[in-house]
Amino acid sequence: MDRVSSFDEPLKKLLGGATAKVMAEHLDLHTVGDLLHHYPRRYEERGKLTALADLPLDEHVTVVAQVADARILMFNNGRGKRLEVTLTDGSGRLQLVFFGHGVHKPHKELLPGRQAMFAGKVSVFNRKMQLAHPTYQLLDASDADEATEAVDAFAGRLLPIYPACKQLDSWRIAKAVDAVLPSAQDAVDPLPAALREGRGFTPLPEALLKVHRPQTKADVEDAKARLKWDEAFVLQVALARRRYADTQLPAVARRPVADGLLDAFDAKLPFTLTEGQEKVSKEIFDDLATEHPMHRLLQGEVGSGKTMVALRAMLTVVDAGGQAAMLAPTEVLAQQHHRSITEMMGELAEGGMLGGSDRGTKVVLLTGSMGMAARRQALLDLVTGEAGIVIGTHALIEDKVQFHDLGLVVVDEQHRFGVEQRDALRSKGKQPPHLLVMTATPIPRTVAMTVFGDLETSVLDQLPAGRSPIASHVVPAKDKPHFLARAWERVREEVENGHQAYVVCPRIGDDAEEAEGKKGKAKKKAAEEDPEKRPPLAVLDIADELRKGALAGLSVEVLHGRMHPDEKDDVMRRFAAGDVDVLVATTVIEVGVNVPNATAMVIMDADRFGVSQLHQLRGRVGRGSAPGLCLLVSEAHEASPARARLSAVAATLDGFELSRIDLEQRREGDVLGQAQSGVRSSLRMLTVIDDEEVIAAAREEAVAVVAADPELEHLPELRTVLAALLDKDREEYLDKG
């Protein structure tokens, strides 16, 4: 068997169809190589018990514990049986429950003093942590063959606990790993020999053996050090090659022109730029002046003045005879950018018009919902070069849109933008245009090096003077309903003081959602039986309740993605003008909406949003001189991870700190995997948040390797591993960031 093919062997051949099917569907493991890279999440020592006190709610866990007591209880007038088993580990206790016919076997086997591995989902019942119907495997001597086997397999060794699922326990995964472990000898080693020897790494086959079947803790550390390096290095080589390829592309250098549009704009600014804005502008101007395309990521907190920096870059390109396009993820945001940019530029945005400046240019808006006449005029202005700046949504990418000379593309909120769109827009320039990507989601340095590793990074971390602080509080609606009543009183008080408020809900709640018929009814029934399963609160329902109840008498309007664009724009305009007191909206307001008079925000079902999303939403208040208030309403249980997330958001306004917390709480697989691409993450061992040194060192080595041998001609193994990582999906994922 050649060296690669044993890793490519389908699991079905070695493990049988049923196990292979569960692995493919629930764990995304398809080949021998996939399973060998499915590393244990942690290790338990035989005879040592898991800390039951620290179990996470709602997660599938595997624990090693001892039975303290077991008893059968009757209910339903003796018709129903329930077995309750209490586990202990010294740190805490955990209840197990088995129902119906499922009680006989555990009742015979789970006797006080017995030790076993248990797997199941942690829930809360009567304020106690419990596992309902867990699977288990006995770990102490017994007549049962399986137990003897377990003892033999794990005697005196560390027990690997694998990331598992309901359909497949950790120990069954361990058995499957045993079946494929001999193939570890065929692992293709991606590290160049000089690098491997220079850093004294364990050979790859040995590292795989040690990570799955360690004899000692030192084995685990040894294996982890090696496997982390592989992941970091291969990913950094992929990114270094992307950056290298970009430097080989031609671009038109766009240099500032004295006494041009930019100078005229700067002269009329009513304030001075912050130091950060000056520094970042210089980095961008230096990039624009080179003859290969700029690829820069500009990250800055909500309100740090990114739009101003981007606008000055666009004006420089117009001065140099080119055009600039700004892409926004939604129409609301595109309209907002167009409004604020034309306001900032004044007569400079009316080039060629009556009363416009002779140094000015035309700033046009292009969205999918524009009327035909306006659209035709905008397209004409772009193709003739009359319009130096265009702001729009994905509509800008359509085939019909032609530019006179596209020199710069600014993409707002990159994580909403895919690679196909970036490339389509790129192809509209005579040569590839310069690219500036903006995000208000703060990204820790290591993640920037990993997710956006093909972009140079600039950070705006100062807020302009005059921004107000925002107070944030968690409102536990279930435990303390009077807190929610008080929240609505606070909204009223803000409105009485001449301010406005947002109420954010996760769902719209119109007929399109309810029209699922039977499905909808089933969901409703499930929600009545278990409040945790109720659908998220909806804009239309909450707006209705507030108009009739807590906020009666105030002007309450709704805003969501399914409204007609003109309707949306009308609501936003009236809200901005102060004619609407309370705006009940979905996350369409998350990015870019700027109403300085809005001071309060209530986020319903806040636990259904991610940390960075909550931070983004909160950034919509406190934009003027009055302080902001953000109330996070949640029905989540006090001990749940969801509540811990909300408390973290309430405790700090530092976006970088929050993005770190977010990363620690979600596993990195999310950060680099499903969250961005729907593709399984290539990072199994590396934790982006903790392994900054490994990532930085791997990046340095990768840059050196690619500079010396861009095509990796002398490193066939690295090329093989890279090809496996960068299948089409992965390529796209790297591009999307």
Side-chain angles (χ1 to χ4, degrees), residues 72 81-83 98-108:
I72 289 222
K81 261 186 193 175
R82 183 166 86 234
L83 170 66
F98 299 88
F99 292 101
H101 300 302
V103 306
H104 305 302
K105 189 169 177 249
H107 189 221
K108 279 199 305 223

Side-chain angles (χ1 to χ4, degrees), residues 212-422:
H212 287 293
R213 297 294 171 263
Q215 301 291 330
T216 63
K217 286 182 178 171
D219 281 355
V220 176
E221 292 315 309
D222 211 18
K224 279 185 171 177
R226 167 66 219 248
L227 296 167
K228 278 180 180 181
W229 247 91
D230 282 22
E231 287 176 7
F233 180 71
V234 172
L235 189 55
Q236 290 303 334
V237 167
L239 293 164
R241 289 185 74 191
R242 165 86 22 96
R243 288 194 302 273
Y244 178 84
D246 284 341
T247 62
Q248 304 307 300
L249 291 171
V252 180
R254 311 281 179 174
R255 298 185 178 87
V257 173
D259 288 331
L261 189 53
L262 178 65
D263 285 352
F265 176 74
D266 283 349
K268 68 192 283 296
L269 274 183
F271 50 82
T272 53
L273 298 175
T274 65
E275 240 171 85
Q277 285 174 317
E278 292 278 12
K279 180 175 131 291
V280 171
S281 289
K282 185 184 179 318
E283 290 169 351
I284 292 171
F285 291 159
D286 289 348
D287 281 358
L288 289 174
T290 61
E291 294 187 349
H292 61 81
M294 161 170 84
H295 284 105
R296 189 166 282 281
L297 170 70
L298 170 56
Q299 44 166 329
E301 285 281 15
V302 172
S304 57
K306 293 184 298 296
T307 312
M308 172 62 70
V309 169
L311 177 55
R312 294 181 75 244
M314 294 197 283
L315 297 176
T316 302
V317 169
V318 175
D319 273 342
Q323 290 168 296
M326 183 184 234
L327 255 76
T330 63
E331 294 209 351
V332 168
L333 194 50
Q335 288 161 338
Q336 175 109 16
H337 275 317
H338 181 252
R339 231 180 353 254
S340 63
I341 283 174
T342 47
E343 277 166 17
M344 283 197 269
M345 287 177 65
E347 74 281 3
L348 296 174
E350 294 163 3
M353 298 187 211
L354 206 60
S357 161
D358 51 353
R359 280 190 288 188
T361 186
K362 231 177 182 185
V363 179
V364 299
L365 176 70
L366 188 63
T367 62
S369 62
M370 282 168 79
M372 274 317 291
R375 186 177 171 76
R376 208 171 288 125
Q377 184 59 53
L379 290 173
L380 189 65
D381 288 340
L382 285 180
V383 77
T384 58
E386 186 85 4
I389 294 176
V390 58
I391 295 155
T393 52
H394 303 58
L396 276 181
I397 300 163
E398 286 171 19
D399 294 342
K400 295 188 202 78
V401 182
Q402 297 299 320
F403 289 85
H404 175 63
D405 178 12
L406 181 61
L408 168 67
V409 175
V410 178
V411 179
D412 194 15
E413 289 306 320
Q414 158 71 3
H415 59 284
R416 293 158 183 268
F417 227 80
V419 56
E420 306 82 6
Q421 294 142 325
R422 219 155 89 173

Side-chain angles (χ1 to χ4, degrees), residues 30 178 307 694:
H30 306 273
D178 283 335
T307 312
V694 176

